[in-house]
Amino acid sequence: MADSTLIDTLQFGPNDAPTHKYEVYGDDEKTPTYALIYQHSGGDWEKIDETLTFAAKDEQDEASSTMDYGSSDGLPELRDLPAEARERSEKHWRDNFAD
C-alpha cells in the first residue's frame, strides 16, 4: 500500500456538505485496488477502520495464488476499472451510510 497511486477522490452526501470521502488507490492510474474511507466529523475528515477492495485487487490475489501456464489474462485491461471502482464506492456508501 505504501507505493500506491491516488487515482480518485470521491465524496458522497448532500451536495453542499458531503459526509463521506473515498480515496481510491492502485498500482497505477488505471488499476484501482482499494479505497480508504473517511467520515466528516467536526469539520475534519476522519479515516474509518474499513478498507474497500476492488476487483483488480481480488484478481491479482487470485492470479498470484494459482499457477497459470501459457495464458495471459487481458480482460482487466478491456474493462474500465476506475469506473467500476467509482460504482462500487458509491454502492458501498449507499448500502452503509446513506439515509
Side-chain angles (χ1 to χ4, degrees), residues 55-87:
K57 173 67 173 150
D58 299 336
E59 290 166 4
Q60 286 172 353
D61 290 346
E62 184 177 313
S64 67
S65 68
T66 61
M67 300 288 284
D68 195 6
Y69 293 103
S71 69
S72 74
D73 183 16
L75 290 178
E77 294 179 19
L78 299 175
R79 299 184 350 232
D80 186 352
L81 297 176
E84 287 181 21
R86 287 189 291 274
E87 290 170 10

Side-chain angles (χ1 to χ4, degrees), residues 14 16 36 44:
D16 57 343
L36 300 179
D44 294 324

